[in-house]
Amino acid sequence: MSLLPAGRRNGFAHGGPPAAVTDDRLSGAGGTAPAPDRPGPPPTGRTGERGADAGESGPHAAPGRGAGRGTPRVRLRAWAELLRVSALFSVPGDALAGAAAVGRRPGRGTAPAIGASLCLYEAGMALNDWADRDEDAIDRPHRPIPSGRISPAAALGAAGVLTAAGLALAARAGRPALTVATGLAATVWAYDLHLKHTKAGPAAMAAARSLDLLLGATATAEGPAPGAGTPGGGRLSDNVAGVTAAATAAAVPTPGTLTASLPALPAALVLGAHTYGVTAVSRHEAQGGSTGVPLAVLATTTALAAAVLGGGERSRRATDRNAVPQPGGTPGQDLSGQDLFGRGIPGRATDPLRLLVIGLTGAYLRTAGAPLLHAALNPSPPLTQRAVGGGIRAMIPLQAALAARAGSPVTGLAVMGLVPLARSLARKVSLT
């Protein structure tokens, strides 16, 4: 879910040093990172607490005594900070890229899938801060819970309500979508409550993003065309077990029910691999000092960009990009996402679709690659944090490139259109 929320120390895209970093969880996913396009507010005390604009009474505000706690505007801002609303724009692209990967236009099943993703992402945000409330009281007392602007019980309750709402929305898209959403919800809770403090943290965060894309693929494939994905395939969990073992353990699909989403697996793995790399970098953002990790992730980012450019569909898929698969079949038998790593982009050098995929992939590589290179050359905490922020921001052009590569240029452009909206909201509400 961009990611889904990440923890203070090793979460991807969500937690970090006060006032200088932003919690860029995409994973609906977690980790700390500074707002990449604007400096954080200047520290006002020894621990770097933010001032009145953030709603605190001062650098020594005690939990339970946040200034203006009862003011509706202050409480609304506190909830916006807790839920990281400025990071929500990294979520819809998962479902839209998943829909494109199975050869479908966004349909009646896509909207509830997006709603479910947003709810589960926000549930992870609230749960992340609830789980880290004791550590935040020491390191980041300006956050909504330790500052007293939001009670721990309210944050935990919000996480529970949002999780239930997400599952209810997924159920409207069909039982297969609910199955995937259940695995996603289990991943979010397992990550925030335990896995983010273990070596399995990056894999869990990657699993969350992969499952989020598969949720959109499953909901779109199963929703608009009754009978799509009839029995005859294998378990989805069998295909993703290598990367998402921790996430899919709680959700074992019935054989054959999720077959229609199988063409989206390569795109899901690309997004998951990107998320894994950003999460790995985020583990060093507080102390810095790691040169090897940013270099390795930079190499991975370059390889993923090459895979997207080299894995375009054949020309027939590019021309017949709106074809709807027949019930029980897979979209474009020889054109499925399974050949993502095997063929070049269709068409001539001047083909509009080809140029769009190249442009979107270039935007992804530039957004994620430059900060990683800077962090490798100077592994200081600020530059490492910027590398994490760049990786989270790069999810949007990556989602757009995956959608365009699958033969849905309109979807790709629509996803890319979320970038200015995300930047605009980030200027008002911090990502952390």
Side-chain angles (χ1 to χ4, degrees):
M1 314 191 339
S2 83
L3 163 27
L4 296 174
R8 305 176 53 261
R9 296 176 180 169
N10 50 355
F12 168 80
H14 318 295
V21 276
T22 65
D23 210 342
D24 293 312
R25 285 172 251 216
L26 315 127
S27 167
T32 40
D37 53 354
R38 61 184 177 87
T44 59
R46 288 178 301 170
T47 55
E49 297 91 333
R50 281 182 276 187
D53 288 343
E56 290 79 13
S57 58
H60 302 291
R65 300 181 61 184
R69 180 177 178 181
T71 305
R73 183 171 181 175
V74 171
R75 290 183 62 81
L76 181 62
R77 182 176 181 84
W79 279 103
E81 291 177 16
L82 180 79
L83 298 176
R84 320 297 203 274
V85 294
S86 55
L88 284 179
F89 291 101
S90 71
V91 178
D94 290 346
L96 294 173
V102 293
R104 301 290 189 93
R105 292 176 176 175
R108 70 170 182 263
T110 311
I114 293 175
S117 296
L118 292 171
C119 287
L120 293 176
Y121 184 87
E122 294 288 47
M125 294 292 185
L127 184 63
N128 178 74
D129 277 21
W130 179 85
D132 288 344
R133 63 193 184 281
D134 292 336
E135 298 173 60
D136 286 343
I138 299 173
D139 296 337
R140 286 176 287 197
H142 62 277
R143 280 192 166 184
I145 294 179
S147 68
R149 290 175 291 150
I150 295 178
S151 70
L156 182 60
V161 170
L162 286 166
T163 299
L167 294 177
L169 285 169
R172 293 181 62 85
R175 184 173 297 177
L178 177 59
T179 300
V180 178
T182 301
L184 176 56
T187 305
V188 173
W189 282 73
Y191 177 84
D192 282 332
L193 297 180
H194 176 65
L195 293 178
K196 67 184 173 185
H197 297 300
T198 71
K199 293 182 179 179
M205 190 62 63
R209 277 290 175 172
S210 294
L211 287 172
D212 201 34
L213 188 146
L214 291 173
L215 173 59
T218 304
T220 304
E222 296 290 338
T230 52
R235 293 174 184 261
L236 176 59
S237 58
D238 292 340
N239 293 274
V240 296
V243 218
T244 61
T248 56
V252 182
T254 303
T257 56
L258 303 180
T259 304
S261 66
L262 292 180
L265 275 174
L269 293 176
V270 167
L271 189 60
H274 171 77
T275 304
Y276 188 104
V278 180
T279 309
V281 174
S282 74
R283 288 181 169 238
H284 303 275
E285 62 184 348
Q287 297 81 23
S290 174
T291 297
V293 174
L295 278 177
V297 176
L298 177 59
T300 301
T301 300
T302 304
L304 291 176
V308 173
L309 291 175
E313 306 292 352
R314 289 180 180 174
S315 296
R316 182 168 69 84
R317 174 65 179 273
T319 324
D320 189 22
R321 58 182 62 104
N322 294 320
V324 177
Q326 297 300 316
T330 56
Q333 196 73 17
D334 60 332
L335 307 171
S336 71
Q338 293 179 6
D339 58 19
L340 174 62
F341 304 98
R343 286 191 282 272
I345 303 174
R348 295 167 298 184
T350 57
D351 183 85
L353 178 60
R354 179 186 180 91
L355 294 176
L356 178 61
V357 175
I358 293 174
L360 293 174
T361 305
Y364 159 67
L365 189 59
R366 182 179 65 85
T367 304
L372 285 170
L373 180 59
H374 295 160
L377 296 175
N378 179 10
S380 63
L383 290 181
T384 302
Q385 292 158 12
R386 285 191 175 275
V388 176
I392 295 163
R393 293 174 58 197
M395 284 185 177
I396 296 179
L398 177 58
Q399 294 160 345
L402 290 171
R405 179 212 61 83
S408 298
V410 174
T411 299
L413 290 172
V415 172
M416 200 63 184
L418 297 174
V419 171
L421 297 175
R423 287 182 176 175
S424 176
L425 187 57
R427 293 188 181 99
K428 300 178 181 179
V429 181
S430 173
L431 287 170
T432 52

